[in-house]
Amino acid sequence: MDRFVLGSWDLRLTINPARSADGDTLTLAVAGELDVASVGALCDTAVDYVESGVRRLFLDLTKVTFCDTGSLYMLLGLQHALHAANGNLTVAAVSNPIEQTLTTNELNNLLRL
């Protein structure tokens, strides 16, 4: 799982993983649009890594150009699932669109930044 690309003629979403040497920590650098059509790919990618033993997941969202509310709720669900698996999700960095969506929907206190 080196890189996941979603989209046909346009690259709507890219996910670049970087796993720690011990295999317990993973950073996913996400770029593009997070919306109803693409957020499932991020969720599936994260779940695949959690099933392989990752317990600390960091998301770098600095290159996300669009984010809808549903995508943020998926991130909250992923955070909950990792917590239930004795792990954690941390959003390491966010773009302006992510920050605006978090603030507008008052979710910035719920998602671990």
Side-chain angles (χ1 to χ4, degrees):
M1 289 187 277
D2 292 329
R3 181 176 176 177
F4 181 86
V5 179
L6 177 70
S8 53
W9 57 273
D10 64 331
L11 300 178
R12 290 179 29 95
L13 184 71
T14 59
I15 304 167
N16 292 302
R19 198 165 184 169
S20 66
D22 65 7
D24 192 43
T25 303
L26 176 74
T27 299
L28 293 177
V30 182
E33 299 177 9
L34 274 176
D35 59 22
V36 68
S38 64
V39 74
L42 176 57
C43 184
D44 291 346
T45 301
V47 167
D48 286 346
Y49 278 106
V50 170
E51 288 176 347
S52 74
V54 167
R55 290 297 171 259
R56 289 189 304 271
L57 178 62
F58 292 89
L59 295 179
D60 177 350
L61 305 176
T62 54
K63 294 185 179 178
V64 172
T65 58
F66 174 81
C67 180
D68 64 8
T69 304
S71 298
L72 292 180
Y73 281 105
M74 184 284 301
L75 294 177
L76 288 170
L78 185 58
Q79 178 177 267
H80 179 73
L82 271 160
H83 181 72
N86 294 319
N88 63 60
L89 170 75
T90 301
V91 178
V94 297
S95 64
N96 285 336
I98 296 278
E99 182 69 36
Q100 290 171 350
T101 306
L102 281 168
T103 303
T104 300
N105 293 284
E106 299 178 359
L107 297 174
N108 43 344
N109 293 328
L110 297 176
L111 194 59
R112 185 174 175 188
L113 301 174

XYZ file of all heavy atoms in Angstrom:
849
model
N 0.845 -1.185 0.000
C 0.000 0.000 0.000
C 0.888 1.245 0.000
O 1.053 1.886 1.010
C -0.905 -0.019 1.224
C -1.996 -1.064 1.173
S -3.175 -0.937 2.521
C -2.303 -1.810 3.801
N 1.469 1.542 -1.118
C 2.364 2.685 -1.181
C 1.644 3.996 -1.433
O 1.966 5.003 -0.841
C 3.414 2.473 -2.273
C 4.364 1.364 -1.917
O 4.612 1.168 -0.718
O 4.845 0.699 -2.835
N 0.669 3.957 -2.314
C -0.038 5.191 -2.637
C -1.381 4.824 -3.232
O -1.495 3.907 -4.031
C 0.759 6.001 -3.651
C 0.095 7.292 -4.015
C 0.959 8.099 -4.931
N 0.200 9.280 -5.311
C 0.652 10.235 -6.043
N 1.860 10.192 -6.502
N -0.091 11.262 -6.360
N -2.387 5.550 -2.838
C -3.729 5.314 -3.359
C -4.160 6.562 -4.099
O -3.993 7.668 -3.616
C -4.709 5.041 -2.214
C -6.097 4.758 -2.706
C -6.468 3.483 -3.065
C -7.013 5.775 -2.845
C -7.736 3.228 -3.534
C -8.283 5.529 -3.321
C -8.646 4.252 -3.659
N -4.694 6.371 -5.282
C -5.195 7.495 -6.068
C -6.638 7.203 -6.447
O -6.947 6.131 -6.947
C -4.364 7.724 -7.349
C -4.915 8.875 -8.152
C -2.899 7.965 -7.000
N -7.510 8.149 -6.176
C -8.908 8.014 -6.548
C -9.204 9.015 -7.645
O -8.785 10.151 -7.571
C -9.814 8.290 -5.348
C -11.295 8.257 -5.602
C -11.744 6.829 -5.877
C -12.053 8.800 -4.412
N -9.931 8.587 -8.627
C -10.315 9.480 -9.701
C -10.065 8.826 -11.048
O -9.309 7.881 -11.152
N -10.709 9.309 -12.055
C -10.499 8.754 -13.386
C -9.530 9.657 -14.127
O -8.333 9.528 -14.016
C -11.843 8.621 -14.100
O -12.534 9.862 -14.066
N -10.033 10.609 -14.862
C -9.151 11.489 -15.624
C -8.547 12.581 -14.755
O -7.530 13.147 -15.068
C -9.908 12.102 -16.791
C -11.124 12.861 -16.376
C -12.375 12.359 -16.175
C -11.205 14.240 -16.078
N -13.234 13.341 -15.762
C -12.540 14.522 -15.700
C -10.295 15.297 -16.088
C -12.963 15.795 -15.333
C -10.735 16.555 -15.730
C -12.046 16.777 -15.367
N -9.175 12.877 -13.615
C -8.603 13.876 -12.716
C -8.218 13.201 -11.410
O -8.831 12.239 -10.987
C -9.582 15.017 -12.451
C -10.829 14.561 -11.723
O -11.222 13.395 -11.885
O -11.405 15.369 -10.993
N -7.186 13.670 -10.788
C -6.743 13.126 -9.505
C -7.450 13.890 -8.389
O -6.951 14.891 -7.900
C -5.223 13.238 -9.374
C -4.420 12.509 -10.435
C -2.934 12.740 -10.230
C -4.740 11.031 -10.442
N -8.616 13.383 -8.010
C -9.411 14.067 -6.984
C -8.830 13.904 -5.585
O -8.960 14.776 -4.756
C -10.839 13.549 -7.012
C -11.609 13.972 -8.238
C -13.023 13.413 -8.245
N -13.557 13.211 -6.932
C -14.324 14.097 -6.282
N -14.651 15.215 -6.845
N -14.766 13.840 -5.085
N -8.240 12.750 -5.324
C -7.733 12.490 -3.983
C -6.511 11.588 -4.072
O -6.537 10.580 -4.762
C -8.809 11.801 -3.136
C -8.452 11.558 -1.669
C -8.434 12.879 -0.903
C -9.442 10.609 -1.034
N -5.455 11.979 -3.381
C -4.299 11.107 -3.244
C -4.024 10.907 -1.759
O -4.230 11.808 -0.945
C -3.033 11.666 -3.930
O -2.718 12.931 -3.371
C -3.221 11.805 -5.418
N -3.580 9.707 -1.437
C -3.272 9.346 -0.057
C -1.885 8.718 -0.069
O -1.680 7.673 -0.681
C -4.301 8.355 0.506
C -5.718 8.927 0.389
C -3.967 8.008 1.963
C -6.816 7.906 0.623
N -0.949 9.366 0.582
C 0.426 8.869 0.636
C 0.761 8.461 2.070
O 0.846 9.316 2.951
C 1.407 9.946 0.151
C 1.245 10.217 -1.321
O 1.376 9.309 -2.129
N 0.942 11.447 -1.666
N 0.959 7.162 2.306
C 1.265 6.688 3.650
C 2.759 6.696 3.946
O 3.587 6.504 3.056
C 0.737 5.252 3.635
C 0.861 4.833 2.213
C 0.678 6.081 1.381
N 3.093 6.916 5.211
C 4.461 6.790 5.704
C 4.373 6.085 7.055
O 3.861 6.648 8.020
C 5.115 8.154 5.848
N 4.835 4.839 7.090
C 4.734 4.021 8.299
C 6.038 4.078 9.078
O 7.122 4.077 8.492
C 4.411 2.581 7.901
C 3.877 1.755 9.031
C 3.253 0.490 8.495
N 2.657 -0.263 9.577
C 1.861 -1.289 9.402
N 1.534 -1.679 8.185
N 1.359 -1.937 10.424
N 5.934 4.104 10.400
C 7.124 4.129 11.250
C 7.841 2.792 11.180
O 7.282 1.776 10.755
C 6.729 4.438 12.695
O 5.942 3.376 13.215
N 9.083 2.783 11.618
C 9.886 1.568 11.584
C 9.280 0.458 12.436
O 9.359 -0.718 12.075
C 11.308 1.872 12.048
N 8.650 0.813 13.551
C 8.056 -0.215 14.414
C 6.698 -0.697 13.900
O 6.136 -1.661 14.402
C 7.940 0.264 15.854
C 6.974 1.434 16.040
O 6.273 1.824 15.080
O 6.918 1.963 17.160
N 6.161 -0.012 12.881
C 4.897 -0.420 12.276
C 3.663 -0.015 13.041
O 2.544 -0.255 12.607
N 3.846 0.636 14.196
C 2.725 0.995 15.063
C 2.128 2.358 14.720
O 1.002 2.648 15.065
C 3.205 0.981 16.514
C 2.068 1.064 17.513
O 1.052 0.374 17.307
O 2.194 1.816 18.493
N 2.889 3.197 14.040
C 2.473 4.564 13.745
C 2.475 4.780 12.234
O 3.364 4.328 11.534
C 3.428 5.569 14.415
O 3.461 5.312 15.821
C 2.987 6.997 14.168
N 1.451 5.493 11.774
C 1.308 5.771 10.344
C 0.874 7.214 10.155
O 0.010 7.705 10.874
C 0.252 4.842 9.737
C -0.083 5.073 8.259
C 1.061 4.565 7.382
C -1.373 4.361 7.891
N 1.480 7.862 9.183
C 1.031 9.179 8.758
C 0.463 9.033 7.354
O 1.109 8.459 6.476
C 2.180 10.201 8.755
O 2.690 10.321 10.073
C 1.695 11.562 8.270
N -0.751 9.532 7.164
C -1.370 9.575 5.848
C -1.408 11.026 5.400
O -2.062 11.859 6.032
C -2.791 9.005 5.887
C -2.938 7.516 6.171
C -4.417 7.134 6.246
C -2.228 6.691 5.113
N -0.687 11.342 4.336
C -0.715 12.675 3.748
C -1.799 12.658 2.667
O -1.703 11.896 1.700
C 0.631 13.042 3.166
N -2.818 13.466 2.860
C -3.979 13.471 1.979
C -3.987 14.770 1.182
O -3.758 15.846 1.735
C -5.281 13.339 2.805
C -6.495 13.298 1.906
C -5.226 12.105 3.701
N -4.264 14.658 -0.123
C -4.321 15.837 -0.984
C -5.531 15.717 -1.901
O -5.886 14.621 -2.341
C -3.055 15.962 -1.816
N -6.174 16.836 -2.146
C -7.318 16.860 -3.047
C -8.609 17.161 -2.316
O -8.620 17.897 -1.340
N -9.688 16.569 -2.809
C -11.032 16.856 -2.291
C -11.545 15.709 -1.437
O -11.575 14.561 -1.875
C -11.989 17.084 -3.453
C -11.616 18.254 -4.326
C -12.545 18.423 -5.517
O -13.583 17.741 -5.585
O -12.213 19.241 -6.384
N -11.983 16.047 -0.230
C -12.646 15.079 0.645
C -14.135 15.360 0.595
O -14.601 16.384 1.106
C -12.151 15.212 2.085
C -10.902 14.463 2.477
C -10.512 14.788 3.907
C -11.076 12.977 2.287
N -14.867 14.465 -0.033
C -16.309 14.630 -0.130
C -16.960 13.256 -0.167
O -16.286 12.238 -0.003
C -16.702 15.486 -1.341
C -16.219 14.912 -2.666
O -15.946 13.696 -2.742
O -16.119 15.678 -3.630
N -18.251 13.226 -0.382
C -18.999 11.977 -0.350
C -18.447 10.950 -1.338
O -18.485 9.747 -1.086
C -20.506 12.240 -0.572
C -20.780 12.711 -1.989
C -21.333 11.021 -0.247
N -17.884 11.394 -2.439
C -17.371 10.480 -3.454
C -15.979 9.949 -3.133
O -15.589 8.912 -3.643
C -17.354 11.177 -4.817
N -15.218 10.641 -2.295
C -13.828 10.247 -2.073
C -13.499 9.830 -0.646
O -12.503 9.137 -0.427
C -12.896 11.391 -2.490
O -13.091 12.523 -1.671
N -14.295 10.207 0.306
C -13.941 9.959 1.699
C -13.889 8.467 2.037
O -13.124 8.046 2.901
C -14.876 10.724 2.667
C -16.254 10.078 2.726
C -14.251 10.819 4.044
N -14.649 7.659 1.333
C -14.609 6.215 1.558
C -13.231 5.633 1.308
O -12.800 4.700 1.992
N -12.519 6.175 0.323
C -11.164 5.701 0.024
C -10.227 5.970 1.199
O -9.404 5.121 1.554
C -10.639 6.369 -1.240
N -10.357 7.138 1.821
C -9.536 7.458 2.983
C -9.888 6.531 4.139
O -9.006 5.988 4.805
C -9.714 8.922 3.384
C -8.984 9.358 4.656
C -7.486 9.098 4.561
C -9.270 10.832 4.934
N -11.158 6.327 4.360
C -11.607 5.445 5.435
C -11.108 4.019 5.213
O -10.557 3.396 6.123
C -13.123 5.488 5.536
S -13.770 4.523 6.912
N -11.285 3.503 4.006
C -10.848 2.145 3.697
C -9.335 1.987 3.863
O -8.864 0.974 4.388
C -11.241 1.754 2.273
C -12.735 1.584 2.091
O -13.474 1.510 3.100
O -13.175 1.544 0.922
N -8.583 2.976 3.413
C -7.129 2.935 3.547
C -6.735 2.908 5.018
O -5.902 2.097 5.433
C -6.485 4.151 2.846
O -6.842 4.130 1.466
C -4.971 4.134 2.986
N -7.340 3.778 5.822
C -7.029 3.820 7.257
C -7.387 2.505 7.932
O -6.603 1.970 8.720
C -7.772 4.984 7.909
N -8.547 1.965 7.628
C -8.984 0.707 8.239
C -8.030 -0.427 7.859
O -7.681 -1.261 8.715
C -10.441 0.383 7.844
C -10.807 -1.048 8.196
C -11.397 1.359 8.524
N -7.588 -0.479 6.615
C -6.634 -1.515 6.198
C -5.365 -1.459 7.052
O -4.850 -2.501 7.474
C -6.262 -1.355 4.724
C -7.374 -1.778 3.778
O -8.336 -2.442 4.228
O -7.276 -1.438 2.582
N -4.871 -0.265 7.293
C -3.667 -0.139 8.112
C -3.930 -0.482 9.578
O -3.091 -1.106 10.228
C -3.066 1.265 7.983
C -2.221 1.421 6.749
C -2.682 2.145 5.654
C -0.963 0.842 6.667
C -1.910 2.286 4.513
C -0.181 0.975 5.532
C -0.664 1.692 4.460
O 0.112 1.823 3.333
N -5.065 -0.085 10.105
C -5.405 -0.433 11.492
C -5.495 -1.946 11.638
O -4.991 -2.523 12.609
C -6.711 0.263 11.932
C -7.195 -0.275 13.271
C -6.496 1.772 12.013
N -6.095 -2.596 10.664
C -6.183 -4.063 10.700
C -4.811 -4.727 10.614
O -4.635 -5.850 11.067
C -7.094 -4.567 9.586
C -8.552 -4.273 9.838
C -9.469 -4.686 8.702
O -8.971 -4.997 7.588
O -10.689 -4.693 8.923
N -3.828 -4.013 10.062
C -2.470 -4.562 9.965
C -1.612 -4.234 11.191
O -0.438 -4.570 11.221
C -1.775 -4.064 8.696
O -1.393 -2.709 8.835
N -2.208 -3.563 12.185
C -1.484 -3.315 13.429
C -1.200 -1.875 13.787
O -0.687 -1.591 14.871
N -1.497 -0.948 12.921
C -1.267 0.463 13.228
C -2.215 0.882 14.355
O -3.417 0.593 14.314
C -1.504 1.352 11.983
C -1.569 2.820 12.353
C -0.420 1.102 10.957
N -1.684 1.539 15.376
C -2.509 2.018 16.483
C -2.449 3.530 16.652
O -3.268 4.111 17.336
C -2.090 1.342 17.796
C -2.454 -0.125 17.845
C -3.970 -0.299 17.769
N -4.384 -1.669 17.604
C -4.764 -2.234 16.458
N -4.759 -1.538 15.343
N -5.138 -3.474 16.402
N -1.460 4.161 16.046
C -1.368 5.625 16.073
C -1.400 6.111 14.633
O -0.483 5.837 13.852
C -0.096 6.068 16.780
C -0.143 5.831 18.283
C 1.037 6.461 19.002
N 2.334 6.025 18.502
C 3.005 4.956 18.945
N 2.492 4.207 19.884
N 4.183 4.650 18.437
N -2.456 6.826 14.314
C -2.650 7.318 12.956
C -2.647 8.839 12.968
O -3.395 9.460 13.719
C -3.983 6.800 12.397
C -4.380 7.259 10.995
C -3.354 6.780 9.967
C -5.755 6.714 10.650
N -1.768 9.408 12.168
C -1.683 10.852 12.003
C -2.164 11.196 10.602
O -1.775 10.532 9.632
C -0.241 11.345 12.185
C 0.267 11.203 13.586
C 0.884 10.038 14.000
C 0.115 12.240 14.490
C 1.350 9.891 15.290
C 0.577 12.112 15.783
C 1.194 10.935 16.194
N -2.987 12.209 10.496
C -3.455 12.679 9.197
C -2.868 14.052 8.917
O -3.000 14.972 9.722
C -4.983 12.774 9.162
C -5.752 11.466 9.280
C -7.249 11.737 9.248
C -5.366 10.510 8.164
N -2.227 14.175 7.789
C -1.729 15.458 7.309
C -2.699 15.904 6.221
O -2.707 15.350 5.121
C -0.321 15.304 6.757
C 0.235 16.595 6.181
O -0.534 17.578 6.027
O 1.434 16.620 5.864
N -3.513 16.888 6.539
C -4.552 17.361 5.629
C -4.232 18.741 5.063
O -5.133 19.460 4.629
C -5.900 17.374 6.361
C -6.330 16.046 7.006
C -7.637 16.226 7.768
C -6.458 14.958 5.973
N -2.968 19.107 5.030
C -2.595 20.448 4.577
C -2.860 20.673 3.092
O -2.975 21.813 2.661
C -1.105 20.750 4.857
O -0.304 19.723 4.286
C -0.847 20.855 6.338
N -2.961 19.592 2.315
C -3.176 19.751 0.878
C -4.595 19.390 0.456
O -4.857 19.171 -0.723
C -2.153 18.926 0.101
C -0.735 19.445 0.303
C 0.253 18.715 -0.537
C 1.641 19.297 -0.299
N 2.640 18.577 -1.058
N -5.502 19.364 1.419
C -6.907 19.126 1.095
C -7.515 20.454 0.658
O -7.456 21.445 1.376
C -7.664 18.530 2.301
C -9.154 18.464 2.033
C -7.119 17.149 2.625
N -8.102 20.458 -0.535
C -8.627 21.697 -1.111
C -10.118 21.898 -0.860
O -10.635 22.992 -1.036
C -8.374 21.726 -2.630
O -8.989 20.573 -3.221
C -6.877 21.729 -2.928
N -10.807 20.821 -0.469
C -12.238 20.895 -0.187
C -12.569 19.808 0.816
O -12.017 18.708 0.749
C -13.074 20.688 -1.461
C -14.549 20.620 -1.191
C -15.291 21.774 -1.030
C -15.186 19.390 -1.066
C -16.655 21.708 -0.751
C -16.546 19.315 -0.808
C -17.279 20.482 -0.643
N -13.481 20.112 1.722
C -13.914 19.118 2.701
C -15.366 19.381 3.051
O -15.732 20.493 3.441
C -13.051 19.203 3.952
S -13.522 18.018 5.219
N -16.213 18.346 2.906
C -17.607 18.512 3.307
C -17.805 18.010 4.734
O -16.929 17.379 5.330
C -18.556 17.826 2.316
C -18.400 16.318 2.251
O -17.670 15.732 3.076
O -19.024 15.715 1.365
N -18.945 18.311 5.294
C -19.245 17.958 6.678
C -19.237 16.446 6.891
O -18.742 15.960 7.905
C -20.611 18.543 7.086
O -20.579 19.955 6.861
C -20.904 18.289 8.540
N -19.769 15.693 5.946
C -19.797 14.241 6.067
C -18.411 13.644 6.222
O -18.225 12.671 6.954
N -17.436 14.227 5.548
C -16.061 13.744 5.660
C -15.522 13.938 7.071
O -14.813 13.082 7.602
C -15.161 14.460 4.655
O -15.589 14.187 3.343
N -15.871 15.056 7.687
C -15.432 15.287 9.062
C -16.076 14.290 10.016
O -15.428 13.808 10.948
C -15.759 16.719 9.486
C -14.978 17.810 8.773
C -15.390 19.175 9.277
C -13.479 17.613 8.924
N -17.336 13.967 9.776
C -17.991 12.968 10.627
C -17.362 11.591 10.434
O -17.257 10.806 11.389
C -19.495 12.945 10.395
C -20.179 14.083 11.108
C -20.643 15.193 10.414
C -20.337 14.067 12.489
C -21.247 16.246 11.078
C -20.934 15.115 13.159
C -21.393 16.211 12.455
O -21.982 17.254 13.113
N -16.897 11.280 9.231
C -16.176 10.028 9.026
C -14.895 10.031 9.843
O -14.537 9.034 10.460
C -15.861 9.833 7.536
C -15.191 8.491 7.204
S -13.422 8.284 7.619
C -12.657 9.593 6.703
N -14.200 11.158 9.883
C -12.984 11.248 10.677
C -13.282 11.047 12.164
O -12.516 10.390 12.872
C -12.284 12.585 10.450
C -11.718 12.821 9.052
C -11.112 14.218 8.956
C -10.698 11.764 8.684
N -14.392 11.586 12.628
C -14.789 11.363 14.023
C -15.077 9.889 14.273
O -14.723 9.345 15.323
C -16.013 12.214 14.381
C -15.760 13.712 14.513
C -17.080 14.466 14.636
C -14.861 13.993 15.705
N -15.718 9.222 13.325
C -15.981 7.793 13.453
C -14.688 6.989 13.471
O -14.546 6.040 14.248
N -13.742 7.376 12.636
C -12.448 6.716 12.608
C -11.710 6.932 13.924
O -11.084 6.011 14.458
C -11.635 7.249 11.423
C -10.304 6.598 11.141
C -10.461 5.100 10.894
C -9.651 7.264 9.941
N -11.798 8.130 14.457
C -11.188 8.429 15.752
C -11.777 7.520 16.829
O -11.054 6.950 17.654
C -11.418 9.903 16.102
C -10.889 10.340 17.441
C -11.101 11.815 17.659
O -10.217 12.608 17.349
N -12.248 12.192 18.171
N -13.084 7.357 16.829
C -13.773 6.497 17.793
C -13.335 5.033 17.623
O -13.073 4.334 18.610
C -15.287 6.635 17.625
C -16.061 5.779 18.555
N -16.162 6.051 19.898
C -16.759 4.642 18.340
C -16.890 5.110 20.482
N -17.267 4.246 19.552
N -13.244 4.567 16.382
C -12.847 3.181 16.117
C -11.416 2.913 16.591
O -11.139 1.867 17.179
C -12.982 2.875 14.630
N -10.520 3.855 16.350
C -9.143 3.684 16.811
C -9.076 3.682 18.331
O -8.337 2.897 18.925
C -8.243 4.776 16.238
C -7.629 4.429 14.895
C -7.173 5.667 14.162
C -6.485 3.468 15.069
N -9.855 4.540 18.964
C -9.893 4.570 20.426
C -10.368 3.222 20.965
O -9.809 2.693 21.926
C -10.788 5.710 20.914
C -10.854 5.814 22.398
N -9.804 6.263 23.152
C -11.847 5.504 23.267
C -10.138 6.226 24.433
N -11.369 5.773 24.520
N -11.384 2.639 20.332
C -11.905 1.340 20.749
C -10.863 0.235 20.555
O -10.895 -0.780 21.254
C -13.182 1.002 19.980
N -9.931 0.431 19.628
C -8.863 -0.546 19.369
C -7.590 -0.193 20.142
O -6.499 -0.650 19.795
C -8.568 -0.603 17.876
N -7.735 0.624 21.197
C -6.599 1.074 22.016
C -5.576 1.854 21.199
O -4.376 1.718 21.396
C -5.934 -0.104 22.727
C -6.849 -0.724 23.747
O -7.541 -0.016 24.474
N -6.889 -2.037 23.791
N -6.073 2.652 20.282
C -5.215 3.491 19.473
C -5.710 4.920 19.486
O -6.573 5.283 20.292
N -5.154 5.742 18.618
C -5.637 7.116 18.515
C -5.395 7.687 17.129
O -4.513 7.263 16.406
C -5.029 8.013 19.600
C -3.537 8.140 19.502
O -3.017 8.597 18.490
N -2.825 7.759 20.534
N -6.233 8.638 16.806
C -6.154 9.385 15.558
C -5.834 10.827 15.904
O -6.487 11.412 16.775
C -7.487 9.326 14.804
C -7.613 10.271 13.608
C -6.807 9.730 12.435
C -9.059 10.434 13.216
N -4.836 11.371 15.247
C -4.486 12.771 15.432
C -4.426 13.436 14.067
O -3.781 12.917 13.155
C -3.111 12.917 16.126
O -3.156 12.260 17.386
C -2.749 14.378 16.316
N -5.116 14.539 13.939
C -5.010 15.338 12.724
C -3.821 16.257 12.943
O -3.884 17.186 13.744
C -6.309 16.112 12.436
C -6.143 16.966 11.200
C -7.478 15.150 12.283
N -2.726 15.950 12.270
C -1.460 16.624 12.512
C -1.422 18.030 11.934
O -0.795 18.916 12.497
C -0.317 15.794 11.946
N -2.089 18.217 10.809
C -2.076 19.518 10.154
C -3.300 19.623 9.256
O -3.753 18.627 8.708
C -0.806 19.680 9.329
N -3.833 20.837 9.136
C -5.033 21.043 8.322
C -4.851 22.222 7.377
O -4.090 23.135 7.642
C -6.295 21.277 9.182
C -6.614 20.075 10.033
C -6.184 22.521 10.033
N -5.601 22.172 6.285
C -5.640 23.278 5.333
C -6.724 24.258 5.768
O -7.519 23.979 6.663
C -5.955 22.747 3.936
O -7.256 22.170 3.924
N -6.782 25.394 5.104
C -7.828 26.379 5.404
C -9.236 25.823 5.191
O -10.109 26.056 6.026
C -7.619 27.658 4.592
C -6.478 28.495 5.124
O -6.108 28.400 6.286
N -5.899 29.299 4.264
N -9.501 25.080 4.101
C -10.848 24.523 3.939
C -11.253 23.576 5.077
O -12.404 23.586 5.522
C -10.776 23.770 2.603
C -9.713 24.471 1.838
C -8.696 24.872 2.881
N -10.314 22.788 5.574
C -10.615 21.893 6.695
C -10.909 22.725 7.941
O -11.888 22.487 8.660
C -9.446 20.924 6.978
C -9.213 19.998 5.798
C -9.677 20.150 8.262
C -10.118 18.800 5.723
N -10.066 23.690 8.224
C -10.242 24.548 9.400
C -11.589 25.262 9.363
O -12.303 25.322 10.361
C -9.105 25.573 9.481
C -9.175 26.470 10.697
C -8.904 25.741 11.996
O -8.068 24.830 11.997
O -9.537 26.091 13.014
N -11.959 25.777 8.200
C -13.240 26.473 8.075
C -14.422 25.533 8.299
O -15.395 25.889 8.972
C -13.342 27.138 6.704
C -12.419 28.315 6.541
C -12.375 28.843 5.115
O -12.897 28.232 4.187
N -11.740 29.996 4.939
N -14.349 24.328 7.747
C -15.438 23.368 7.914
C -15.534 22.919 9.364
O -16.631 22.791 9.914
C -15.247 22.152 6.982
O -15.090 22.625 5.642
C -16.436 21.215 7.040
N -14.394 22.703 10.016
C -14.399 22.341 11.433
C -15.045 23.434 12.278
O -15.889 23.157 13.133
C -12.970 22.105 11.930
C -12.315 20.788 11.593
C -10.819 20.847 11.895
C -12.971 19.649 12.352
N -14.655 24.671 12.039
C -15.164 25.795 12.823
C -16.640 26.047 12.552
O -17.425 26.215 13.485
C -14.346 27.067 12.515
O -12.969 26.790 12.787
C -14.815 28.239 13.344
N -17.024 26.048 11.286
C -18.416 26.289 10.913
C -19.352 25.272 11.552
O -20.449 25.613 11.999
C -18.583 26.246 9.379
O -17.762 27.257 8.809
C -20.026 26.467 8.970
N -18.910 24.013 11.627
C -19.744 22.942 12.164
C -19.463 22.648 13.636
O -19.985 21.675 14.183
C -19.560 21.673 11.326
C -20.105 21.871 9.943
O -21.299 21.847 9.739
N -19.218 22.092 8.977
N -18.625 23.493 14.261
C -18.284 23.380 15.675
C -17.781 21.987 16.040
O -18.123 21.421 17.074
C -19.482 23.788 16.547
C -19.893 25.224 16.309
C -21.100 25.651 17.130
O -21.649 24.832 17.887
O -21.471 26.824 17.014
N -16.932 21.438 15.165
C -16.370 20.110 15.393
C -14.909 20.167 15.828
O -14.319 19.139 16.136
C -16.488 19.263 14.123
C -17.903 18.971 13.641
C -17.875 18.251 12.306
C -18.653 18.144 14.669
N -14.333 21.363 15.864
C -12.917 21.485 16.188
C -12.593 21.014 17.604
O -11.461 20.657 17.884
C -12.381 22.895 15.927
C -13.307 23.986 16.395
O -14.471 23.746 16.653
N -12.791 25.180 16.494
N -13.559 20.984 18.496
C -13.301 20.489 19.850
C -13.463 18.982 19.942
O -13.059 18.375 20.940
C -14.234 21.166 20.858
C -13.934 22.633 20.991
O -12.784 23.058 20.859
N -14.941 23.430 21.260
N -14.064 18.358 18.935
C -14.292 16.921 18.969
C -13.201 16.121 18.270
O -12.924 14.983 18.626
C -15.642 16.580 18.330
C -16.874 17.145 19.016
C -18.119 16.805 18.210
C -16.987 16.606 20.429
N -12.586 16.723 17.279
C -11.555 16.039 16.504
C -10.201 16.414 17.074
O -9.892 17.606 17.219
C -11.652 16.440 15.028
C -10.888 15.597 14.035
C -11.336 14.136 14.091
C -11.118 16.132 12.630
N -9.405 15.416 17.421
C -8.117 15.669 18.045
C -7.144 16.281 17.039
O -6.760 15.644 16.066
C -7.553 14.361 18.591
C -6.278 14.537 19.349
C -5.854 13.243 19.966
N -4.563 13.434 20.587
C -3.846 12.471 21.078
N -4.292 11.246 21.024
N -2.684 12.725 21.618
N -6.778 17.530 17.289
C -5.845 18.241 16.414
C -4.503 18.398 17.114
O -4.420 18.545 18.277
C -6.382 19.619 16.035
C -7.722 19.647 15.299
C -8.199 21.067 15.131
C -7.593 18.978 13.962
